[in-house]
Amino acid sequence: MERYWNEEIETMSREDMKKLQDERLVAQVKHVYENVEYYRNLMDEKGVKPEDIKSTDDLYKLPFLSKTDLRDAYPYGLLAKPLSECVRIQSTSGTTGRRVVAFYTQHDIDLWEDCCARAITAVGGTDEDVCQVCYGYGLFTGGPGLNGGSHKVGCLTLPMSSGNTERQIQFMRDLGSTILCCTPSYAAYIGETLHDMGYTTDDIKLKAGIFGAEPWTEEMRRSIEKSLGIKAYDIYGLTETSGPGVSFECSEQTGMHINEDHFIPEIINPDTEEVLPDGEVGELVFTSITKEAFPLLRYRTRDLCVLSRKKCSCGRTLIKMSKPMGRSDDMLIIRGVNVFPSQIETVLIEQGYSPNYLIEVDRVNNTDTLDISVEMNPEQLSDDVKDKEKELAVAIRTMLGISPKVHLVAPKSITRSEGKAVRVIDRRKLHD
């Protein structure tokens, strides 16, 4: 029997949801136009006034926002409420350029935690559960979001953050954790460490995991499920729109339900900005219709995915997004071929290798090079490494259409990540 956190919203009819979205969008556009000079200028440049937006059918008239806009407006340029009404900031990791800083009123936090409570309930979470949150806390949204959602559901919450993996496993065993929340790469590492410590899945009580904040493949899902003895669920979100909980998986696991009462999704052609119909692959765009302090309209996520309104066996009527297939700005173009790291990960796991790998791209004599270091499992150490490297290179070439150099390396020789995994080093950018 499927459980819901907010059954009225999660199973709402299409007509009622559209009516709710229409009302909230009209009010939000007015709020943003009156309070955010940066976005008001973008609307004026496009010749759009708030009264031109009468329903979600008029969404296409509004200008887009991108991460560049957020950096240009840093820190207060997109703030829509007085600072005196704001109670928190969260921030992106800021690996390129300025950080993105998002502001929250108490109402914003309540709604965000409500979205995370929906995700926890969808994996079977109740007030009987022990929820171990190993996402990073602090400026990163993962820890605070799932922590708040866990409290709302009434779980016993272990605010572990990431790191100190042996202590994680000790608490997991001693306190009987039943739900694990972290990045998929850290979940894989916890599973690996559990077995290295001499334990099996019989020594822990985990039943479900909520994993997000980085791309992961179906093959990695199966690997994590096996090593931890759980069912692994995806969750999606961005600091810019609040954090994790924008969308979440249910028991059917054929995509993530978007919390449409808070976020209106669109799919666009990333090059032409044309809005595409449901079912077509394109860039995901979100409009926040309930956020008070930092409401982004038509924010380009750069994530490539598909939207679907196909009926779901869980009973939820919320639209689904597919697992992101990559990012329009993370896609590598190597010798003219589009390459996503997830394609390489799929081949590695299908061939029986671990999901610990490093992709290094460089340019030598004006030609792109692709080197992939892959950890062997202990039982593979006795194999003929050179033959295995050639076999794997052929399998990757079949998938990508270009030949890599494959380097099989010793177990545990690639640095582990306790937050977002670093999978790609593109040295071409360092030369340019």
Side-chain angles (χ1 to χ4, degrees):
M1 178 69 182
E2 191 78 26
R3 292 182 68 255
Y4 310 103
W5 175 249
N6 186 332
E7 186 168 357
E8 181 189 356
I9 290 289
E10 293 175 59
T11 61
M12 186 176 272
S13 71
R14 189 76 245 131
E15 298 73 29
D16 288 346
M17 180 60 77
K18 181 163 190 322
K19 187 180 175 188
L20 181 64
Q21 288 181 330
D22 290 346
E23 290 170 3
R24 289 180 170 179
L25 176 65
V26 169
Q28 187 73 295
V29 171
K30 186 172 184 291
H31 170 58
V32 170
Y33 190 83
E34 289 174 356
N35 294 288
V36 182
E37 182 185 5
Y38 189 97
Y39 200 78
R40 179 165 65 247
N41 291 339
L42 291 179
M43 284 180 66
D44 288 346
E45 280 171 30
K46 216 176 171 196
V48 187
K49 296 290 184 221
E51 51 270 27
D52 298 328
I53 309 300
K54 296 178 174 62
S55 75
T56 53
D57 298 333
D58 298 317
L59 198 56
Y60 73 94
K61 297 176 183 176
L62 292 168
F64 291 104
L65 279 172
S66 68
K67 193 162 269 192
T68 302
D69 290 306
L70 271 60
R71 292 193 179 115
D72 289 347
Y74 174 92
Y76 296 127
L78 288 166
L79 188 61
K81 282 282 187 181
L83 271 182
S84 60
E85 293 184 36
C86 298
V87 298
R88 193 194 296 175
I89 67 154
Q90 304 280 171
S91 177
T92 58
S93 52
T95 47
T96 55
R98 286 174 173 168
R99 284 179 174 271
V100 169
V101 175
F103 298 83
Y104 301 73
T105 63
Q106 186 57 52
H107 183 62
D108 291 335
I109 290 172
D110 289 342
L111 295 185
W112 173 26
E113 291 178 348
D114 196 79
C115 288
C116 290
R118 294 181 194 180
I120 292 168
T121 306
V123 310
T126 72
D127 57 8
E128 299 290 319
D129 281 290
V130 179
C131 186
Q132 185 160 336
V133 183
C134 309
Y135 285 110
Y137 281 68
L139 290 172
F140 177 57
T141 55
L146 271 302
N147 191 93
S150 175
H151 278 208
K152 284 214 165 188
V153 173
C155 304
L156 175 63
T157 307
L158 309 187
M160 301 291 292
S161 195
S162 59
N164 203 333
T165 306
E166 292 193 3
R167 186 181 66 183
Q168 300 272 12
I169 291 167
Q170 181 191 339
F171 270 73
M172 190 180 289
R173 294 184 66 239
D174 293 348
L175 294 167
S177 303
T178 53
I179 298 173
L180 176 65
C181 305
C182 61
T183 60
S185 54
Y186 193 45
Y189 185 41
I190 290 173
E192 188 182 314
T193 307
L194 179 80
H195 295 281
D196 288 348
M197 290 171 70
Y199 298 122
T200 71
T201 54
D202 292 335
D203 295 304
I204 56 175
K205 292 183 177 177
L206 286 183
K207 65 179 184 182
I210 299 176
F211 307 130
E214 65 187 22
W216 55 307
T217 59
E218 286 301 313
E219 291 74 20
M220 190 168 183
R221 189 205 297 266
R222 303 292 163 242
S223 174
I224 291 169
E225 288 182 333
K226 185 178 176 186
S227 72
L228 290 173
I230 61 172
K231 189 164 181 181
Y233 295 81
D234 211 345
I235 191 170
Y236 176 89
L238 309 118
T239 302
E240 297 92 321
T241 53
S242 66
V246 170
S247 65
F248 60 91
E249 270 190 328
C250 63
S251 55
E252 188 176 280
Q253 295 192 308
T254 54
M256 290 174 278
H257 289 287
I258 296 170
N259 286 311
E260 290 183 88
D261 52 323
H262 301 300
F263 311 101
I264 300 176
E266 299 172 272
I267 293 287
I268 65 166
N269 179 315
D271 299 319
T272 66
E273 298 185 343
E274 168 200 4
V275 178
L276 301 175
D278 292 352
E280 290 203 25
V281 178
E283 182 184 341
L284 185 59
V285 172
F286 276 119
T287 293
S288 297
I289 50 175
T290 53
K291 279 203 78 174
E292 295 180 334
F294 197 70
L296 300 187
L297 307 183
R298 301 199 85 197
Y299 179 67
R300 296 185 58 169
T301 67
R302 297 292 175 187
D303 285 320
L304 301 174
C305 70
V306 174
L307 296 179
S308 168
R309 291 209 178 274
K310 192 176 171 187
K311 191 172 179 181
C312 187
S313 61
C314 79
R316 289 179 181 83
T317 52
L318 300 169
I319 194 171
K320 278 184 180 175
M321 59 178 275
S322 67
K323 185 186 278 287
M325 301 161 183
R327 288 174 59 81
S328 59
D329 55 355
D330 276 3
M331 182 179 74
L332 296 162
I333 301 177
I334 303 171
R335 295 173 226 153
V337 174
N338 296 348
V339 174
F340 290 104
S342 57
Q343 294 173 296
I344 294 170
E345 183 177 297
T346 295
V347 174
L348 299 183
I349 296 177
E350 281 177 349
Q351 298 288 322
Y353 292 92
S354 87
N356 294 304
Y357 60 94
L358 183 65
I359 300 165
E360 296 178 83
V361 186
D362 207 340
R363 187 169 287 127
V364 179
N365 298 326
N366 297 318
T367 302
D368 292 337
T369 62
L370 173 60
D371 286 75
I372 305 169
S373 299
V374 183
E375 277 188 13
M376 288 182 283
N377 296 314
E379 59 272 17
Q380 294 167 323
L381 287 170
S382 58
D383 296 341
D384 186 327
V385 171
K386 289 294 174 196
D387 285 349
K388 289 288 180 186
E389 286 176 339
K390 284 178 188 170
E391 279 177 27
L392 198 46
V394 169
I396 293 170
R397 185 181 68 216
T398 303
M399 167 69 85
L400 302 180
I402 55 173
S403 296
K405 277 189 181 170
V406 172
H407 312 276
L408 292 177
V409 299
K412 300 192 180 10
S413 58
I414 294 175
T415 304
R416 295 295 189 271
S417 167
E418 294 171 346
K420 291 192 181 187
V422 177
R423 301 287 194 208
V424 180
I425 299 174
D426 191 343
R427 301 188 195 285
R428 296 173 300 182
K429 295 176 181 175
L430 304 178
H431 306 325
D432 293 344

